[in-house]
Amino acid sequence: MPRLLGLLADDRTWTAAATALACIGRAGSPTRESPAARSAGDGADANLAACVYWKVTGEPGPCLERLGPIATADLPHPALHRPADLGAHAARWADRLRALTADREPLAHVEAAHALWAATGDTAHTVPVPASAVRGLAEGAYLPVMPPRYGNPARIRPAARPAADLLRAVPDRDERRRGSGGRRGFVQDEGIRNAVDALLTEGCADHR
């Protein structure tokens, strides 16, 4: 904790330190002043700061205020994944999130489905989305936008089984899933493998 608190004083390390403290949760409550100050501004870290404040204090107010425009925007927002952090507090945006589960943007409908499930437990609109999102990989295709799609299904346990069924044969294929050459390609493939392993673990657990 003392080392992370020290890193909050440096703009170059603030984001990484704040993200780590958010994972620690309530034990990181001594950090409340830094995220509270940043969440009130217009800087690039304002949305993250509001979410960190929620994680370390349990007070959703600043996060709800910051994320309202994200969840209700006319177009999918790059930070659409953040409402999921609020759980049931994000239920006020359920109608908008439900509509976004049918969005054509490659990642928006996956993030919206995860946020909707976290907020309401709705499975009618969330279960079909992960299976649709991972179908390309099951058929041997890989695009750089794919990796974030595999983390959310593993969290939405009711949705994990159909997505896992599609990907069950992927780990045994003698090929790399990558969109780049060199070292980056290895990193991309490893990330995909780890995410698919997590998804299969959740899917198998549900199956049992």
Side-chain angles (χ1 to χ4, degrees):
M1 281 293 298
R3 296 187 68 178
L4 288 172
L5 289 173
L7 293 174
L8 290 177
D10 189 332
D11 286 344
R12 296 171 299 178
T13 54
W14 190 92
T15 298
T19 301
L21 287 163
C23 293
I24 292 174
R26 297 295 181 88
S29 59
T31 66
R32 67 171 58 215
E33 293 183 6
S34 177
R38 290 199 180 227
S39 67
D42 295 320
D45 290 325
N47 291 333
L48 171 61
C51 290
V52 173
Y53 186 81
W54 150 245
K55 291 287 190 179
V56 301
T57 68
E59 299 172 19
C63 198
L64 289 168
E65 184 177 348
R66 295 293 313 189
L67 299 190
I70 292 175
T72 58
D74 290 337
L75 296 173
H77 192 281
L80 184 59
H81 62 285
R82 295 210 180 278
D85 290 338
L86 283 163
H89 292 289
R92 63 184 68 189
W93 305 314
D95 289 343
R96 176 58 179 153
L97 293 171
R98 194 171 289 112
L100 284 173
T101 61
D103 195 272
R104 293 184 178 182
E105 200 280 330
L107 189 55
H109 65 293
V110 178
E111 300 289 15
H114 179 215
L116 179 64
W117 177 82
T120 68
D122 180 337
T123 57
H125 293 85
T126 57
V127 167
V129 174
S132 173
V134 302
R135 192 175 302 279
L137 185 63
E139 296 171 351
Y142 174 83
L143 295 173
V145 74
M146 286 182 173
R149 296 181 176 185
Y150 306 116
N152 288 347
R155 299 186 191 106
I156 307 175
R157 292 185 64 87
R161 180 178 168 185
D165 288 343
L166 282 171
L167 298 179
R168 203 167 297 280
V170 169
D172 295 328
R173 291 180 185 162
D174 187 19
E175 59 185 19
R176 292 202 177 277
R177 285 143 291 267
R178 58 186 177 83
S180 302
R183 181 186 62 82
R184 186 184 177 98
F186 286 94
V187 173
Q188 289 175 336
D189 180 65
E190 183 176 327
I192 286 287
R193 289 178 181 275
N194 290 339
V196 170
D197 284 346
L199 179 56
L200 290 176
T201 298
E202 292 299 326
C204 290
D206 279 348
H207 189 66
R208 289 195 299 270

